[in-house]
Tab-separated table of all heavy atoms in Angstrom:
chain	number	residue	atom	x	y	z
A	499	MET	N	93.678	104.203	138.519
A	499	MET	CA	94.619	103.785	139.577
A	499	MET	C	95.621	104.900	139.816
A	499	MET	O	96.233	105.410	138.886
A	499	MET	CB	95.319	102.515	139.127
A	499	MET	CG	96.356	102.035	140.111
A	499	MET	SD	97.037	100.468	139.594
A	499	MET	CE	98.676	100.937	139.069
A	500	SER	N	95.741	105.302	141.018
A	500	SER	CA	96.723	106.349	141.291
A	500	SER	C	97.884	105.759	142.066
A	500	SER	O	97.706	104.982	142.999
A	500	SER	CB	96.083	107.478	142.088
A	500	SER	OG	95.797	107.038	143.387
A	501	VAL	N	99.034	106.110	141.611
A	501	VAL	CA	100.221	105.623	142.289
A	501	VAL	C	101.013	106.812	142.771
A	501	VAL	O	100.998	107.871	142.167
A	501	VAL	CB	101.091	104.769	141.350
A	501	VAL	CG1	100.478	103.411	141.137
A	501	VAL	CG2	101.306	105.482	140.029
A	502	SER	N	101.692	106.626	143.859
A	502	SER	CA	102.540	107.711	144.325
A	502	SER	C	103.835	107.130	144.825
A	502	SER	O	103.915	105.974	145.221
A	502	SER	CB	101.853	108.495	145.439
A	502	SER	OG	101.614	107.646	146.520
A	503	GLY	N	104.861	107.910	144.752
A	503	GLY	CA	106.167	107.435	145.151
A	503	GLY	C	107.188	107.840	144.124
A	503	GLY	O	106.914	108.667	143.254
A	504	LEU	N	108.341	107.217	144.212
A	504	LEU	CA	109.407	107.587	143.295
A	504	LEU	C	109.663	106.500	142.272
A	504	LEU	O	109.491	105.315	142.540
A	504	LEU	CB	110.693	107.873	144.081
A	504	LEU	CG	110.610	109.089	145.014
A	504	LEU	CD1	111.918	109.248	145.778
A	504	LEU	CD2	110.278	110.358	144.252
A	505	CYS	N	110.027	106.944	141.110
A	505	CYS	CA	110.348	106.053	140.010
A	505	CYS	C	111.349	104.987	140.446
A	505	CYS	O	112.327	105.284	141.129
A	505	CYS	CB	110.939	106.893	138.874
A	505	CYS	SG	111.680	105.943	137.565
A	506	GLU	N	111.084	103.749	140.041
A	506	GLU	CA	111.978	102.667	140.459
A	506	GLU	C	113.230	102.602	139.613
A	506	GLU	O	114.128	101.808	139.863
A	506	GLU	CB	111.232	101.332	140.405
A	506	GLU	CG	110.143	101.257	141.466
A	506	GLU	CD	109.535	99.869	141.542
A	506	GLU	OE1	110.268	98.880	141.425
A	506	GLU	OE2	108.304	99.777	141.706
A	507	LEU	N	113.261	103.412	138.570
A	507	LEU	CA	114.446	103.393	137.720
A	507	LEU	C	115.444	104.478	138.096
A	507	LEU	O	116.637	104.258	138.086
A	507	LEU	CB	114.038	103.537	136.252
A	507	LEU	CG	113.416	102.271	135.650
A	507	LEU	CD1	111.919	102.241	135.847
A	507	LEU	CD2	113.760	102.141	134.190
A	508	CYS	N	114.919	105.640	138.433
A	508	CYS	CA	115.844	106.724	138.773
A	508	CYS	C	115.743	107.157	140.229
A	508	CYS	O	116.619	107.844	140.722
A	508	CYS	CB	115.605	107.917	137.843
A	508	CYS	SG	113.966	108.660	138.030
A	509	SER	N	114.678	106.719	140.903
A	509	SER	CA	114.481	107.080	142.307
A	509	SER	C	114.521	108.587	142.528
A	509	SER	O	114.940	109.047	143.580
A	509	SER	CB	115.552	106.418	143.192
A	509	SER	OG	115.491	105.035	143.021
A	510	THR	N	114.126	109.312	141.532
A	510	THR	CA	114.183	110.767	141.641
A	510	THR	C	112.850	111.415	141.344
A	510	THR	O	112.368	112.236	142.116
A	510	THR	CB	115.232	111.331	140.651
A	510	THR	OG1	116.485	110.711	140.907
A	510	THR	CG2	115.360	112.831	140.810
A	511	ASN	N	112.257	111.000	140.234
A	511	ASN	CA	111.011	111.634	139.819
A	511	ASN	C	109.793	110.871	140.307
A	511	ASN	O	109.890	109.687	140.661
A	511	ASN	CB	110.975	111.736	138.289
A	511	ASN	CG	112.140	112.554	137.766
A	511	ASN	OD1	112.482	113.599	138.312
A	511	ASN	ND2	112.771	112.052	136.719
A	512	GLU	N	108.685	111.544	140.313
A	512	GLU	CA	107.452	110.930	140.779
A	512	GLU	C	106.904	109.957	139.737
A	512	GLU	O	106.988	110.188	138.537
A	512	GLU	CB	106.425	112.023	141.042
A	512	GLU	CG	105.352	111.564	141.994
A	512	GLU	CD	104.775	112.733	142.781
A	512	GLU	OE1	105.554	113.444	143.444
A	512	GLU	OE2	103.566	112.913	142.700
A	513	ILE	N	106.315	108.897	140.234
A	513	ILE	CA	105.774	107.860	139.364
A	513	ILE	C	104.570	108.366	138.575
A	513	ILE	O	103.719	109.070	139.107
A	513	ILE	CB	105.320	106.663	140.228
A	513	ILE	CG1	106.529	105.994	140.874
A	513	ILE	CG2	104.516	105.672	139.410
A	513	ILE	CD1	106.145	105.075	142.008
A	514	VAL	N	104.525	107.991	137.325
A	514	VAL	CA	103.328	108.301	136.548
A	514	VAL	C	102.517	107.037	136.273
A	514	VAL	O	101.301	107.063	136.239
A	514	VAL	CB	103.654	108.988	135.207
A	514	VAL	CG1	104.208	110.383	135.453
A	514	VAL	CG2	104.585	108.167	134.365
A	515	ASP	N	103.207	105.908	136.107
A	515	ASP	CA	102.491	104.663	135.854
A	515	ASP	C	103.432	103.476	135.976
A	515	ASP	O	104.639	103.646	136.078
A	515	ASP	CB	101.882	104.691	134.453
A	515	ASP	CG	100.534	103.977	134.427
A	515	ASP	OD1	100.347	103.055	135.241
A	515	ASP	OD2	99.706	104.326	133.598
A	516	GLY	N	102.842	102.280	135.927
A	516	GLY	CA	103.665	101.084	136.027
A	516	GLY	C	103.892	100.468	134.662
A	516	GLY	O	103.029	100.527	133.790
A	517	CYS	N	105.025	99.858	134.505
A	517	CYS	CA	105.368	99.212	133.250
A	517	CYS	C	104.504	97.971	133.044
A	517	CYS	O	104.301	97.184	133.963
A	517	CYS	CB	106.849	98.833	133.280
A	517	CYS	SG	107.334	97.808	131.889
A	518	ASP	N	103.990	97.800	131.863
A	518	ASP	CA	103.134	96.652	131.554
A	518	ASP	C	103.921	95.358	131.495
A	518	ASP	O	103.369	94.274	131.582
A	518	ASP	CB	102.444	96.860	130.209
A	518	ASP	CG	101.283	97.829	130.345
A	518	ASP	OD1	100.914	98.150	131.491
A	518	ASP	OD2	100.762	98.269	129.304
A	519	ARG	N	105.214	95.452	131.309
A	519	ARG	CA	106.017	94.256	131.106
A	519	ARG	C	106.669	93.794	132.397
A	519	ARG	O	106.500	92.648	132.804
A	519	ARG	CB	107.081	94.548	130.048
A	519	ARG	CG	107.856	93.343	129.603
A	519	ARG	CD	108.569	93.664	128.298
A	519	ARG	NE	109.449	92.611	127.892
A	519	ARG	CZ	110.767	92.629	128.098
A	519	ARG	NH1	111.316	93.637	128.724
A	519	ARG	NH2	111.522	91.643	127.673
A	520	CYS	N	107.414	94.677	133.039
A	520	CYS	CA	108.143	94.254	134.241
A	520	CYS	C	107.430	94.677	135.518
A	520	CYS	O	107.759	94.215	136.594
A	520	CYS	CB	109.564	94.812	134.221
A	520	CYS	SG	109.644	96.604	134.383
A	521	GLY	N	106.430	95.564	135.367
A	521	GLY	CA	105.649	95.948	136.525
A	521	GLY	C	106.282	97.012	137.394
A	521	GLY	O	105.735	97.398	138.417
A	522	ARG	N	107.441	97.478	136.982
A	522	ARG	CA	108.090	98.517	137.770
A	522	ARG	C	107.364	99.839	137.584
A	522	ARG	O	106.764	100.096	136.548
A	522	ARG	CB	109.554	98.668	137.355
A	522	ARG	CG	110.435	97.646	138.026
A	522	ARG	CD	111.877	97.924	137.719
A	522	ARG	NE	112.164	97.711	136.307
A	522	ARG	CZ	113.389	97.745	135.797
A	522	ARG	NH1	114.417	97.978	136.566
A	522	ARG	NH2	113.581	97.549	134.517
A	523	LEU	N	107.436	100.657	138.610
A	523	LEU	CA	106.786	101.963	138.546
A	523	LEU	C	107.795	102.980	138.032
A	523	LEU	O	108.921	103.045	138.519
A	523	LEU	CB	106.288	102.356	139.936
A	523	LEU	CG	105.294	101.348	140.524
A	523	LEU	CD1	105.042	101.642	141.993
A	523	LEU	CD2	104.002	101.349	139.742
A	524	ALA	N	107.345	103.731	137.033
A	524	ALA	CA	108.298	104.639	136.401
A	524	ALA	C	107.763	106.062	136.320
A	524	ALA	O	106.562	106.300	136.283
A	524	ALA	CB	108.631	104.124	135.012
A	525	CYS	N	108.683	106.993	136.286
A	525	CYS	CA	108.332	108.398	136.130
A	525	CYS	C	108.095	108.676	134.649
A	525	CYS	O	108.291	107.798	133.810
A	525	CYS	CB	109.473	109.277	136.649
A	525	CYS	SG	110.994	109.131	135.690
A	526	GLU	N	107.709	109.903	134.349
A	526	GLU	CA	107.383	110.169	132.952
A	526	GLU	C	108.615	110.115	132.058
A	526	GLU	O	108.502	109.924	130.856
A	526	GLU	CB	106.655	111.501	132.802
A	526	GLU	CG	107.466	112.698	133.210
A	526	GLU	CD	106.645	113.985	133.022
A	526	GLU	OE1	105.558	113.895	132.433
A	526	GLU	OE2	107.099	115.033	133.470
A	527	VAL	N	109.773	110.254	132.667
A	527	VAL	CA	110.998	110.160	131.877
A	527	VAL	C	111.274	108.708	131.503
A	527	VAL	O	111.755	108.406	130.430
A	527	VAL	CB	112.203	110.718	132.668
A	527	VAL	CG1	113.499	110.514	131.897
A	527	VAL	CG2	111.989	112.196	132.980
A	528	HIS	N	110.919	107.820	132.430
A	528	HIS	CA	111.234	106.411	132.227
A	528	HIS	C	110.037	105.556	131.857
A	528	HIS	O	110.098	104.342	131.866
A	528	HIS	CB	111.908	105.858	133.491
A	528	HIS	CG	113.255	106.474	133.727
A	528	HIS	ND1	113.482	107.406	134.711
A	528	HIS	CD2	114.420	106.311	133.071
A	528	HIS	CE1	114.740	107.783	134.653
A	528	HIS	NE2	115.335	107.149	133.676
A	529	TYR	N	108.951	106.215	131.567
A	529	TYR	CA	107.754	105.484	131.170
A	529	TYR	C	107.295	105.973	129.808
A	529	TYR	O	107.200	107.168	129.557
A	529	TYR	CB	106.649	105.691	132.203
A	529	TYR	CG	105.365	104.978	131.861
A	529	TYR	CD1	105.250	103.611	132.070
A	529	TYR	CD2	104.286	105.664	131.329
A	529	TYR	CE1	104.080	102.947	131.755
A	529	TYR	CE2	103.108	105.008	131.021
A	529	TYR	CZ	103.016	103.649	131.236
A	529	TYR	OH	101.857	103.001	130.923
A	530	ASP	N	107.050	105.031	128.927
A	530	ASP	CA	106.577	105.391	127.602
A	530	ASP	C	105.082	105.163	127.516
A	530	ASP	O	104.622	104.031	127.557
A	530	ASP	CB	107.308	104.557	126.548
A	530	ASP	CG	106.957	105.026	125.147
A	530	ASP	OD1	107.520	106.030	124.710
A	530	ASP	OD2	106.099	104.392	124.509
A	531	ARG	N	104.345	106.246	127.424
A	531	ARG	CA	102.889	106.130	127.452
A	531	ARG	C	102.340	105.388	126.238
A	531	ARG	O	101.319	104.716	126.317
A	531	ARG	CB	102.256	107.517	127.503
A	531	ARG	CG	102.440	108.183	128.853
A	531	ARG	CD	101.922	109.615	128.801
A	531	ARG	NE	102.288	110.359	130.001
A	531	ARG	CZ	101.562	110.373	131.108
A	531	ARG	NH1	100.453	109.687	131.160
A	531	ARG	NH2	101.938	111.060	132.159
A	532	GLU	N	102.991	105.519	125.148
A	532	GLU	CA	102.486	104.883	123.926
A	532	GLU	C	102.486	103.369	124.024
A	532	GLU	O	101.567	102.698	123.590
A	532	GLU	CB	103.324	105.315	122.723
A	532	GLU	CG	102.928	106.684	122.191
A	532	GLU	CD	103.725	107.069	120.964
A	532	GLU	OE1	104.080	106.164	120.187
A	532	GLU	OE2	104.002	108.256	120.810
A	533	THR	N	103.556	102.828	124.588
A	533	THR	CA	103.667	101.378	124.668
A	533	THR	C	103.283	100.845	126.047
A	533	THR	O	102.987	99.671	126.191
A	533	THR	CB	105.108	100.945	124.368
A	533	THR	OG1	105.980	101.594	125.298
A	533	THR	CG2	105.513	101.338	122.962
A	534	GLY	N	103.312	101.707	127.056
A	534	GLY	CA	103.011	101.258	128.396
A	534	GLY	C	104.195	100.554	129.033
A	534	GLY	O	104.046	99.804	129.982
A	535	LEU	N	105.361	100.775	128.473
A	535	LEU	CA	106.556	100.122	128.991
A	535	LEU	C	107.514	101.137	129.592
A	535	LEU	O	107.488	102.314	129.239
A	535	LEU	CB	107.278	99.391	127.854
A	535	LEU	CG	106.493	98.322	127.106
A	535	LEU	CD1	107.332	97.773	125.959
A	535	LEU	CD2	106.070	97.203	128.030
A	536	CYS	N	108.359	100.636	130.498
A	536	CYS	CA	109.407	101.497	131.012
A	536	CYS	C	110.528	101.548	129.970
A	536	CYS	O	110.550	100.740	129.039
A	536	CYS	CB	109.943	100.953	132.346
A	536	CYS	SG	110.816	99.389	132.223
A	537	THR	N	111.421	102.474	130.127
A	537	THR	CA	112.464	102.637	129.115
A	537	THR	C	113.368	101.408	129.029
A	537	THR	O	113.900	101.095	127.981
A	537	THR	CB	113.322	103.878	129.413
A	537	THR	OG1	113.741	103.846	130.763
A	537	THR	CG2	112.518	105.142	129.157
A	538	ASP	N	113.537	100.715	130.150
A	538	ASP	CA	114.346	99.494	130.145
A	538	ASP	C	113.744	98.445	129.227
A	538	ASP	O	114.415	97.829	128.417
A	538	ASP	CB	114.439	98.930	131.565
A	538	ASP	CG	115.706	99.394	132.251
A	538	ASP	OD1	116.331	100.349	131.740
A	538	ASP	OD2	116.062	98.810	133.281
A	539	CYS	N	112.445	98.245	129.375
A	539	CYS	CA	111.767	97.243	128.565
A	539	CYS	C	111.717	97.672	127.109
A	539	CYS	O	111.779	96.851	126.204
A	539	CYS	CB	110.363	97.009	129.104
A	539	CYS	SG	110.376	96.160	130.693
A	540	LEU	N	111.619	98.967	126.918
A	540	LEU	CA	111.613	99.479	125.554
A	540	LEU	C	112.914	99.095	124.860
A	540	LEU	O	112.920	98.627	123.736
A	540	LEU	CB	111.497	101.002	125.569
A	540	LEU	CG	110.108	101.597	125.397
A	540	LEU	CD1	110.214	103.108	125.342
A	540	LEU	CD2	109.444	101.075	124.150
A	541	LYS	N	114.000	99.279	125.571
A	541	LYS	CA	115.313	98.952	125.010
A	541	LYS	C	115.405	97.460	124.727
A	541	LYS	O	115.863	97.036	123.678
A	541	LYS	CB	116.417	99.340	126.002
A	541	LYS	CG	116.867	100.784	125.833
A	541	LYS	CD	118.051	101.069	126.750
A	541	LYS	CE	117.827	102.333	127.569
A	541	LYS	NZ	118.659	102.344	128.799
A	542	GLU	N	114.962	96.658	125.713
A	542	GLU	CA	115.063	95.212	125.554
A	542	GLU	C	114.224	94.700	124.398
A	542	GLU	O	114.566	93.738	123.733
A	542	GLU	CB	114.620	94.512	126.844
A	542	GLU	CG	115.720	94.479	127.876
A	542	GLU	CD	115.219	93.869	129.174
A	542	GLU	OE1	114.435	92.910	129.102
A	542	GLU	OE2	115.611	94.357	130.238
A	543	SER	N	113.094	95.365	124.197
A	543	SER	CA	112.235	94.907	123.110
A	543	SER	C	112.677	95.490	121.784
A	543	SER	O	111.986	95.389	120.789
A	543	SER	CB	110.786	95.259	123.401
A	543	SER	OG	110.631	96.656	123.455
A	544	GLY	N	113.839	96.110	121.802
A	544	GLY	CA	114.418	96.570	120.546
A	544	GLY	C	113.850	97.868	120.036
A	544	GLY	O	113.597	98.005	118.856
A	545	GLY	N	113.653	98.796	120.933
A	545	GLY	CA	113.159	100.097	120.514
A	545	GLY	C	111.658	100.145	120.461
A	545	GLY	O	110.992	99.299	121.036
A	546	THR	N	111.146	101.103	119.765
A	546	THR	CA	109.704	101.258	119.693
A	546	THR	C	109.111	100.168	118.815
A	546	THR	O	109.701	99.778	117.826
A	546	THR	CB	109.332	102.631	119.114
A	546	THR	OG1	109.895	102.728	117.816
A	546	THR	CG2	109.869	103.744	119.975
A	547	PRO	N	107.957	99.670	119.204
A	547	PRO	CA	107.272	98.620	118.435
A	547	PRO	C	107.015	99.052	117.000
A	547	PRO	O	106.982	98.240	116.097
A	547	PRO	CB	105.950	98.447	119.169
A	547	PRO	CG	106.200	98.972	120.533
A	547	PRO	CD	107.234	100.044	120.397
A	548	ASP	N	106.861	100.343	116.827
A	548	ASP	CA	106.584	100.842	115.485
A	548	ASP	C	107.832	100.838	114.621
A	548	ASP	O	107.811	101.208	113.463
A	548	ASP	CB	106.041	102.263	115.548
A	548	ASP	CG	104.684	102.304	116.240
A	548	ASP	OD1	104.058	101.247	116.309
A	548	ASP	OD2	104.287	103.356	116.679
A	549	ASP	N	108.913	100.416	115.244
A	549	ASP	CA	110.190	100.504	114.554
A	549	ASP	C	110.310	99.492	113.424
A	549	ASP	O	111.056	99.658	112.494
A	549	ASP	CB	111.314	100.275	115.564
A	549	ASP	CG	112.530	101.114	115.209
A	549	ASP	OD1	112.345	102.165	114.585
A	549	ASP	OD2	113.648	100.687	115.537
A	550	GLU	N	109.570	98.385	113.551
A	550	GLU	CA	109.661	97.367	112.513
A	550	GLU	C	108.806	97.757	111.318
A	550	GLU	O	107.584	97.727	111.392
A	550	GLU	CB	109.171	96.028	113.060
A	550	GLU	CG	110.229	95.302	113.837
A	550	GLU	CD	109.713	93.969	114.343
A	550	GLU	OE1	109.121	93.221	113.546
A	550	GLU	OE2	109.879	93.684	115.530
A	551	PRO	N	109.466	98.111	110.277
A	551	PRO	CA	108.709	98.502	109.091
A	551	PRO	C	108.117	97.291	108.409
A	551	PRO	O	108.787	96.274	108.244
A	551	PRO	CB	109.771	99.157	108.206
A	551	PRO	CG	111.082	98.630	108.680
A	551	PRO	CD	110.907	98.108	110.086
A	552	GLU	N	106.865	97.401	108.076
A	552	GLU	CA	106.264	96.282	107.372
A	552	GLU	C	106.777	96.272	105.951
A	552	GLU	O	107.029	97.297	105.364
A	552	GLU	CB	104.748	96.437	107.373
A	552	GLU	CG	104.140	95.991	108.676
A	552	GLU	CD	102.613	96.087	108.621
A	552	GLU	OE1	102.059	95.973	107.528
A	552	GLU	OE2	102.011	96.287	109.676
A	553	ARG	N	106.922	95.105	105.449
A	553	ARG	CA	107.413	94.979	104.095
A	553	ARG	C	106.398	95.588	103.122
A	553	ARG	O	105.253	95.162	103.081
A	553	ARG	CB	107.608	93.504	103.771
A	553	ARG	CG	108.969	93.236	103.186
A	553	ARG	CD	109.145	91.753	103.097
A	553	ARG	NE	110.347	91.373	103.834
A	553	ARG	CZ	111.355	90.759	103.230
A	553	ARG	NH1	111.269	90.444	101.982
A	553	ARG	NH2	112.423	90.450	103.909
A	554	GLN	N	106.864	96.522	102.395
A	554	GLN	CA	105.935	97.130	101.456
A	554	GLN	C	106.181	96.577	100.073
A	554	GLN	O	107.314	96.321	99.705
A	554	GLN	CB	106.135	98.645	101.449
A	554	GLN	CG	105.729	99.245	102.791
A	554	GLN	CD	105.611	100.760	102.704
A	554	GLN	OE1	106.038	101.354	101.735
A	554	GLN	NE2	105.053	101.355	103.718
A	555	PRO	N	105.121	96.365	99.373
A	555	PRO	CA	105.249	95.860	98.002
A	555	PRO	C	106.149	96.780	97.202
A	555	PRO	O	106.044	97.986	97.311
A	555	PRO	CB	103.821	95.886	97.468
A	555	PRO	CG	103.020	96.678	98.460
A	555	PRO	CD	103.749	96.609	99.771
A	556	ASP	N	107.016	96.175	96.473
A	556	ASP	CA	108.049	96.961	95.829
A	556	ASP	C	107.540	97.768	94.639
A	556	ASP	O	107.732	97.420	93.498
A	556	ASP	CB	109.181	96.037	95.373
A	556	ASP	CG	110.517	96.630	95.791
A	556	ASP	OD1	110.691	97.862	95.660
A	556	ASP	OD2	111.374	95.870	96.244
A	557	GLY	N	106.875	98.814	94.976
A	557	GLY	CA	106.441	99.731	93.936
A	557	GLY	C	105.398	99.143	93.008
A	557	GLY	O	105.651	98.147	92.347
A	558	PRO	N	104.243	99.709	93.020
A	558	PRO	CA	103.169	99.273	92.124
A	558	PRO	C	103.470	99.684	90.684
A	558	PRO	O	102.769	99.294	89.769
A	558	PRO	CB	101.928	100.005	92.649
A	558	PRO	CG	102.471	101.188	93.393
A	558	PRO	CD	103.868	100.854	93.846
A	559	ASP	N	104.535	100.410	90.552
A	559	ASP	CA	104.893	100.871	89.206
A	559	ASP	C	105.100	99.702	88.258
A	559	ASP	O	105.758	98.733	88.591
A	559	ASP	CB	106.195	101.681	89.248
A	559	ASP	CG	105.926	103.078	89.775
A	559	ASP	OD1	104.735	103.438	89.894
A	559	ASP	OD2	106.874	103.784	90.082
A	560	GLY	N	104.555	99.759	87.114
A	560	GLY	CA	104.801	98.724	86.119
A	560	GLY	C	103.852	97.563	86.222
A	560	GLY	O	103.925	96.638	85.445
A	561	VAL	N	102.960	97.568	87.170
A	561	VAL	CA	102.031	96.466	87.297
A	561	VAL	C	100.698	96.789	86.629
A	561	VAL	O	100.265	96.128	85.708
A	561	VAL	CB	101.783	96.097	88.766
A	561	VAL	CG1	100.782	94.968	88.863
A	561	VAL	CG2	103.096	95.714	89.421
A	562	ASP	N	100.107	97.834	87.154
A	562	ASP	CA	98.778	98.162	86.653
A	562	ASP	C	98.723	99.531	85.963
A	562	ASP	O	97.703	100.152	85.895
A	562	ASP	CB	97.781	98.150	87.794
A	562	ASP	CG	96.926	96.902	87.762
A	562	ASP	OD1	96.660	96.390	86.659
A	562	ASP	OD2	96.546	96.434	88.836
A	563	THR	N	99.860	99.920	85.504
A	563	THR	CA	99.892	101.288	84.993
A	563	THR	C	99.835	101.341	83.475
A	563	THR	O	99.868	102.381	82.883
A	563	THR	CB	101.164	102.002	85.465
A	563	THR	OG1	102.278	101.182	85.173
A	563	THR	CG2	101.092	102.277	86.951
A	564	TYR	N	99.780	100.171	82.869
A	564	TYR	CA	99.714	100.168	81.409
A	564	TYR	C	98.284	100.394	80.929
A	564	TYR	O	97.410	99.606	81.240
A	564	TYR	CB	100.234	98.854	80.855
A	564	TYR	CG	101.676	98.609	81.192
A	564	TYR	CD1	102.017	97.682	82.143
A	564	TYR	CD2	102.673	99.332	80.538
A	564	TYR	CE1	103.349	97.458	82.457
A	564	TYR	CE2	104.012	99.121	80.853
A	564	TYR	CZ	104.342	98.190	81.802
A	564	TYR	OH	105.639	97.962	82.111
A	565	GLN	N	98.113	101.414	80.237
A	565	GLN	CA	96.784	101.653	79.691
A	565	GLN	C	96.913	101.930	78.211
A	565	GLN	O	97.655	102.804	77.797
A	565	GLN	CB	96.122	102.815	80.408
A	565	GLN	CG	95.887	102.498	81.871
A	565	GLN	CD	94.721	103.322	82.424
A	565	GLN	OE1	94.180	104.158	81.724
A	565	GLN	NE2	94.342	103.047	83.650
A	566	PHE	N	96.199	101.177	77.453
A	566	PHE	CA	96.295	101.357	75.996
A	566	PHE	C	95.060	102.030	75.428
A	566	PHE	O	93.969	101.794	75.903
A	566	PHE	CB	96.501	99.994	75.318
A	566	PHE	CG	97.814	99.391	75.709
A	566	PHE	CD1	97.862	98.422	76.674
A	566	PHE	CD2	99.006	99.817	75.096
A	566	PHE	CE1	99.065	97.856	77.023
A	566	PHE	CE2	100.201	99.255	75.459
A	566	PHE	CZ	100.239	98.278	76.422
B	1500	ZN	ZN1	112.633	107.765	136.401
B	1501	ZN	ZN1	109.607	97.544	132.324
């Protein structure tokens, strides 16, 4: 799909793609290719999706390390 026109967020740069969430067309400055969201939606969703660190088991140390 090719889109042309100006970014709906800054009205300055050329559109690269549309936001998957709000559907607005954004330039490369205002569009995040990794998430497919515009920068506005990125902010609303609390930053990058990868930002939420999964709980990691608190150190395998001391569990299976005893060898006699
Ligand atoms: Zn823009
Ligand atoms: Zn958006």
Side-chain angles (χ1 to χ4, degrees):
M499 177 175 108
S500 70
V501 285
S502 61
L504 295 178
C505 169
E506 292 188 39
L507 285 89
C508 64
S509 302
T510 304
N511 300 317
E512 202 152 304
I513 293 164
V514 292
D515 216 331
C517 171
D518 283 349
R519 188 163 173 261
C520 67
R522 277 186 293 188
L523 301 169
C525 65
E526 63 180 351
V527 175
H528 293 106
Y529 179 77
D530 187 79
R531 288 174 190 273
E532 279 183 33
T533 58
L535 301 176
C536 67
T537 50
D538 265 15
C539 290
L540 264 184
K541 272 185 230 158
E542 279 176 38
S543 63
T546 59
D548 295 341
D549 214 27
E550 278 181 48
E552 280 183 28
R553 230 171 237 240
Q554 293 193 348
D556 227 318
D559 283 349
V561 179
D562 256 328
T563 51
Y564 298 106
Q565 296 205 356
F566 295 100

